[in-house]
Amino acid sequence: MLVRPAVVDDARAISEIQIETWRAAYRGIVADQTLDNLNIDAISATRLLQIEGVERQAFVAVHDGQVHGYTIAGPNPNPQDSGDFELRALYVRPSFQGQGIGRALISTAVQDQIGRGSRSMIIRAFEKNLAARRTYEDLGGKLIGSGIFELDGKGYPDVAYGFSDLPGLLDRLVPVKIREVNETDSISEITALLHRAYDRNTRAGLRFNACHQNDDRTLSRLSDGAGLIMLRNGRIVGTLALCLFEDLPYGTFHPEGRVASFGQFAIEPEFQAFGLGDLLIRRAEKIAKAAGADYLSLDTAQPAKGLITYYQQRGFEIVGEVDYRPGTNYISWVLAKRLA
């Protein structure tokens, strides 16, 4: 499952999902006439404007090329209810519910809003939508208000839940534990994880070290400073090797100050839509800053446009380049983030 920003071509699929989920979830809550008369053309026109606009951010969950869920975030229209932004829509096709897609969509939207400077969120639900309300309460939402949602001339009571700790919300969406690797951990398991996570790069023709490295290389890199692993239900689902510190210059990057770097960064493919990578990067930033680093840096293949965008969206900037050929088959950009 891939979660990505919505594009204009997604508008109709998003509208189909809204109609399908409303009719499945809101019978007995919303008038039958309203549900039966939902018009896909009218809804598509509204969703298209939202996707094209700058005030709202829409994301879709895609499996085998088909959109099966979406979420839309935007400004909080009711400032009296505490929340820097509102999660205005969250829907998953009924046949795909219960697979963690909704949590992945929330996680992506929250991470995006954190990057935009938000520190709190609000989400609304029909007062009688007990299933949604239980979900928001389980995620730590606090009941902060109520109101009336007008629809086809009728008023439906709704309630508002506030989330004031967005990093904490991310932790609750997919519970994991991050710690340093120790002698009880299987290096072979970590190496196999790296191979699976980097397989997409292998198929793209990029020879990353993590695509093919052996256990000795894995252990060596984890021993450079702080070797981190992420556990979910006892299973290793992520890893990151933090180096304290780089011998400068780092390629063509030679700043004033101390530079920590990370590599061997991987999340199990089935969990890559849940934002777990952000949790590992934030832990690396915390460790590096506590150790006295002025910068956290990394390098990645110049042709890997998606990876470069991923890091740039998280505050890293291209600051130089480094050439590891013939060990790799590409030149790398060096990216760095100043640690405040």
Side-chain angles (χ1 to χ4, degrees):
M1 182 68 62
L2 168 71
V3 176
R4 60 164 172 78
V7 297
V8 293
D9 288 345
D10 296 323
R12 194 166 187 87
I14 284 174
S15 304
E16 291 172 351
I17 292 168
Q18 178 179 337
I19 291 172
E20 186 178 349
T21 53
W22 272 51
R23 288 174 177 169
Y26 295 161
R27 290 290 179 189
I29 297 176
V30 173
D32 286 347
Q33 182 178 359
T34 293
L35 296 176
D36 294 338
N37 291 335
L38 291 171
N39 183 280
I40 191 167
D41 292 326
I43 295 172
S44 294
T46 299
R47 294 295 175 246
L48 183 61
L49 290 174
Q50 292 174 332
I51 292 170
E52 292 181 321
V54 296
E55 279 198 345
R56 295 183 175 89
Q57 293 75 47
F59 297 91
V60 293
V62 181
H63 179 67
D64 288 340
Q66 300 296 313
V67 176
H68 294 296
Y70 75 95
T71 189
I72 299 174
N76 179 6
N78 299 301
Q80 70 272 19
D81 294 330
S82 176
D84 292 338
F85 77 98
E86 180 182 9
L87 198 67
R88 302 179 65 86
L90 174 67
Y91 297 109
V92 177
R93 291 189 194 276
S95 58
F96 279 79
Q97 291 174 8
Q99 301 179 33
I101 297 173
R103 288 176 176 246
L105 286 163
I106 297 173
S107 178
T108 300
V110 168
Q111 290 174 65
D112 177 73
Q113 291 294 325
I114 288 175
R116 297 172 187 273
S118 295
R119 293 187 290 183
S120 58
M121 177 184 81
I122 188 171
I123 188 168
R124 290 178 168 81
F126 287 120
E127 183 180 72
K128 293 183 178 180
N129 188 357
L130 301 183
R133 293 183 63 179
R134 281 194 297 270
T135 296
Y136 303 146
E137 290 167 2
D138 289 345
L139 290 174
K142 304 299 182 184
L143 187 63
I144 60 172
S146 60
I148 299 293
F149 182 73
E150 298 288 342
L151 186 62
D152 288 349
K154 294 190 66 174
Y156 297 92
D158 68 4
V159 292
Y161 287 92
F163 296 83
S164 59
D165 177 13
L166 296 186
L169 172 58
L170 291 176
D171 288 340
R172 287 188 291 275
L173 284 166
V174 184
V176 292
K177 178 182 179 181
I178 298 174
R179 62 166 172 79
E180 291 197 29
V181 68
N182 61 44
E183 65 277 2
T184 68
D185 298 311
S186 169
I187 300 302
S188 295
E189 185 178 344
I190 297 172
T191 301
L193 164 62
L194 290 166
H195 292 172
R196 290 191 297 273
Y198 279 77
D199 181 63
R200 182 186 304 175
N201 299 298
T202 302
R203 288 184 280 110
L206 298 174
R207 186 176 168 79
F208 281 75
N209 285 318
C211 294
H212 58 83
Q213 70 187 42
N214 59 26
D215 289 350
D216 289 342
R217 175 67 170 167
T218 299
L219 179 59
S220 174
R221 298 183 73 185
L222 288 170
S223 304
D224 279 346
L228 301 179
I229 58 171
M230 174 181 283
L231 299 163
R232 174 173 167 78
N233 297 327
R235 173 189 173 193
I236 298 176
V237 297
T239 187
L240 179 150
L242 179 65
C243 174
L244 301 168
F245 291 90
E246 282 288 340
D247 294 326
L248 297 178
Y250 181 177
T252 60
F253 180 46
H254 195 169
E256 294 293 330
R258 306 178 79 190
V259 178
S261 68
F262 71 89
Q264 199 166 277
F265 171 45
I267 299 295
E268 190 70 63
E270 67 188 271
F271 293 108
Q272 288 177 0
F274 288 83
L276 301 185
D278 283 32
L279 301 180
L280 271 173
I281 291 175
R282 283 203 296 272
R283 179 64 63 87
E285 289 179 3
K286 183 178 180 180
I287 294 171
K289 185 177 179 180
D294 299 292
Y295 296 90
L296 181 63
S297 62
L298 68 128
D299 60 75
T300 195
Q302 291 184 0
K305 305 298 184 184
L307 285 174
I308 293 165
T309 299
Y310 173 86
Y311 292 119
Q312 289 175 326
Q313 289 174 341
R314 285 148 183 82
F316 292 85
E317 299 178 354
I318 295 174
V319 293
E321 64 178 31
V322 62
D323 189 350
Y324 295 120
R325 295 177 298 180
T328 63
N329 61 351
Y330 53 79
I331 299 175
S332 295
W333 288 125
V334 178
L335 296 95
K337 179 178 184 179
R338 182 89 191 193
L339 299 178

